[in-house]
Amino acid sequence: MTVLAMLAVSLFLQHEFDIKQMLLFLVGAGLGVTLLHAAFGFTGGWRSMIRERRSAGVRAQILLVVFTSALFFPVLGHLFPGVGAHAALAPVGMSVMVGAFLFGIGMQLGGGCGSGTLFTVGQGQMDMLVTLAFFIIGATIGSAHLHWWLALPSLGTLSLIDTYGWFPALVAQVTCLAILYAWSQRMERQRYGRVETLGVLHGGVKFTDRLLFGPWPLWWGVVGLGVLNLLTLLVGGHPWSITFAFGLWGAKIWSVLGGDVLAWPYWSTGYPAQALTQSVLADHTSIMDFGIILGAVLAAALAGKFAPAGAPLRWTRILAAVSGGLLLGYGARLAFGCNIGGLVAGMSSGSLHGWLWLVAGFTGTLVGVRFRTFLHLDPPLVSGP
Amino acid sequence: MKGLNRWIMLVVIVLAGIAVAVDHFSYHRARPEAQGGFPLPDGDVEVGGYGAASDNTEE
């Protein structure tokens, strides 16, 4: 059923637009399958690191940025003439810093980041539908305020590739990430005396069965997400991004309800204005997001995990989903993207704003983890073994 | 509970699909030449792929 739906959407996109729209939708579906089967999320990985000193998730994310950087830097450094691709460059300023900080809080309260929210919605988790709804509202409100935040101090865009050349920039970035990797390993080893590997495969499952039905080891997720991100860059001409679409959907809904979003500076010029006057299916981020959700539906059905029953929703969980969703959306708009479009795409493009996103987002997560404890979503923090 | 969750999710997906279809056909009638596009964070706009057209704007 899901496969038929995806096939129908693919053919429809090819008919209405071009093969590129179809390919981007299928890449999105591949991302959804990868995210769900590898259970690859930023939120849980950061929380495990902070609460339990378990570093597998964080190390997988670091490897993802290393792998994606190794794929992106030569392309963005024009090593291959004729391949036109744009880096995800954004200003290193207050807007990104505040936005990523708010996003970091929001991802812990909302229970998911940009990619995590989409694939858990595809998995059929009811509480994540609430987070997604308020993610969209937050992104829409953020788009109304963005011009004010962009007027605050900023160093402008800083590209490591343009400044130092792609190879020295790649070496410098990988060195910094290797230090972070070693530090996170050390934290885990100090507490447990050993470090969990990223290649844990439980049971004697055949490769094809594991590929289809999951679960995947984290390093499969790293390879899958890196390769699919490269395909996005080559087919779409830009790195993988998620949250522009949320603001677009919200702005379209607000317009239908009688709101005048064209009066907001963000929607009055350039691509956002154009996107408002076109079909939502013309927007790359939207069709990739739809692909991620359907890909996750497919993977969840194959794994027998669709629409898990879960515990009944408590008011604290709903409050967290509402406030988390609003912070996620507002923060992502200010920070020029979520953990995917701002952090991974920014760092893999050699943009310094990606590093600022990492620091501010992780700081926000430190606060968000404490809010979770306050709302009794997690047990109190315990330090040391 | 699991059955109810599944039905709610399916209803949400169907409603979202209808909303997307309505949006697509209402805009498609007005601008049948619409091309795929993407907002670049630095303000450039990628439309039509591989730098086919760009529009420098400030956000």
Side-chain angles (χ1 to χ4, degrees):
Chain A
M1 174 82 171
T2 313
V3 172
L4 283 177
M6 286 168 62
L7 190 64
V9 173
S10 302
L11 293 173
F12 182 76
L13 287 171
Q14 201 275 334
H15 176 264
E16 292 290 297
F17 298 96
D18 52 26
I19 196 160
K20 189 167 75 170
Q21 295 296 99
M22 183 184 85
L23 288 175
L24 288 172
F25 171 74
L26 292 175
V27 167
L31 289 165
V33 171
T34 308
L35 287 165
L36 193 128
H37 273 343
F40 199 104
F42 283 68
T43 309
W46 286 15
R47 192 162 65 239
S48 295
M49 186 72 204
I50 293 165
R51 288 184 58 87
E52 302 158 22
R53 299 288 187 266
R54 284 290 184 197
S55 65
V58 166
R59 282 182 288 124
Q61 293 158 23
I62 293 171
L63 288 180
L64 174 64
V65 177
V66 168
F67 183 48
T68 313
S69 299
L71 296 173
F72 276 27
F73 274 42
V75 175
L76 296 173
H78 309 295
L79 183 66
F80 310 105
V83 177
H86 292 269
L89 298 175
V92 182
M94 288 295 291
S95 180
V96 169
M97 192 168 73
V98 173
F101 178 77
L102 296 177
F103 191 94
I105 300 173
M107 65 197 268
Q108 293 306 328
L109 290 175
C113 49
S115 53
T117 300
L118 284 182
F119 90 76
T120 48
V121 163
Q123 191 184 6
Q125 291 190 20
M126 296 292 298
D127 52 341
M128 296 309 291
L129 263 183
V130 179
T131 298
L132 178 60
F134 284 88
F135 204 145
I136 292 169
I137 294 171
T140 312
I141 298 171
S143 70
H145 298 167
L146 182 64
H147 64 285
W148 184 86
W149 287 101
L150 288 179
L152 295 177
S154 161
L155 298 175
T157 57
L158 293 166
S159 164
L160 299 175
I161 297 175
D162 290 348
T163 309
Y164 302 110
W166 73 266
F167 188 71
L170 180 61
V171 171
Q173 175 142 303
V174 170
T175 304
C176 293
L177 289 168
I179 293 168
L180 272 182
Y181 190 96
W183 171 78
S184 58
Q185 265 189 325
R186 186 165 171 264
M187 299 283 278
E188 185 172 349
R189 190 173 288 117
Q190 273 182 343
R191 176 165 290 192
Y192 298 100
R194 64 185 189 86
V195 177
E196 203 174 22
T197 70
L198 304 182
V200 182
L201 289 169
H202 299 290
V205 184
K206 277 198 303 184
F207 173 78
T208 47
D209 285 350
R210 188 173 293 284
L211 192 66
L212 278 176
F213 305 113
W216 294 0
L218 274 171
W219 73 267
W220 286 22
V222 170
V223 174
L225 295 178
V227 169
L228 290 166
N229 206 344
L230 177 68
L231 280 176
T232 308
L233 184 72
L234 296 178
V235 175
H238 52 79
W240 174 27
S241 180
I242 289 175
T243 50
F244 171 78
F246 296 171
L248 177 62
W249 304 344
K252 278 176 175 277
I253 292 168
W254 187 237
S255 295
V256 169
L257 295 175
D260 183 17
V261 293
L262 288 173
W264 304 350
Y266 182 77
W267 297 106
S268 62
T269 57
Y271 180 77
Q274 179 189 312
L276 267 184
T277 62
Q278 291 195 155
S279 159
V280 73
L281 296 176
D283 175 51
H284 289 180
T285 50
S286 293
I287 53 168
M288 288 189 71
D289 287 356
F290 297 145
I292 290 170
I293 293 174
L294 285 179
V297 170
L298 174 66
L302 287 170
K305 292 179 185 168
F306 183 69
L313 284 182
R314 288 179 294 141
W315 72 269
T316 47
R317 179 69 195 99
I318 294 172
L319 176 68
V322 169
S323 54
L326 287 172
L327 289 169
L328 283 164
Y330 196 86
R333 187 60 275 148
L334 265 55
F336 290 86
C338 61
N339 53 301
I340 298 298
L343 173 63
V344 175
M347 291 176 79
S348 305
S349 295
S351 176
L352 211 57
H353 90 280
W355 282 94
L356 176 61
W357 202 113
L358 172 65
V359 174
F362 197 82
T363 309
T365 280
L366 288 169
V367 177
V369 164
R370 277 150 183 82
F371 276 142
R372 283 182 66 88
T373 309
F374 178 73
L375 290 171
H376 302 292
L377 298 173
D378 287 330
L381 283 166
V382 191
S383 59
Chain B
M1 185 67 185
K2 185 180 172 105
L4 180 65
N5 278 0
R6 186 167 294 182
W7 278 109
I8 292 173
M9 286 305 301
L10 288 175
V11 168
V12 168
I13 289 172
V14 168
L15 288 177
I18 292 170
V20 169
V22 169
D23 175 82
H24 175 72
F25 288 111
S26 57
Y27 286 111
H28 187 60
R29 265 199 294 275
R31 294 191 59 182
E33 77 288 358
Q35 294 184 85
F38 177 81
L40 293 168
D42 60 2
D44 280 351
V45 181
E46 173 73 6
V47 179
Y50 297 105
S54 68
D55 171 22
N56 291 314
T57 53
E58 287 185 9
E59 290 180 306

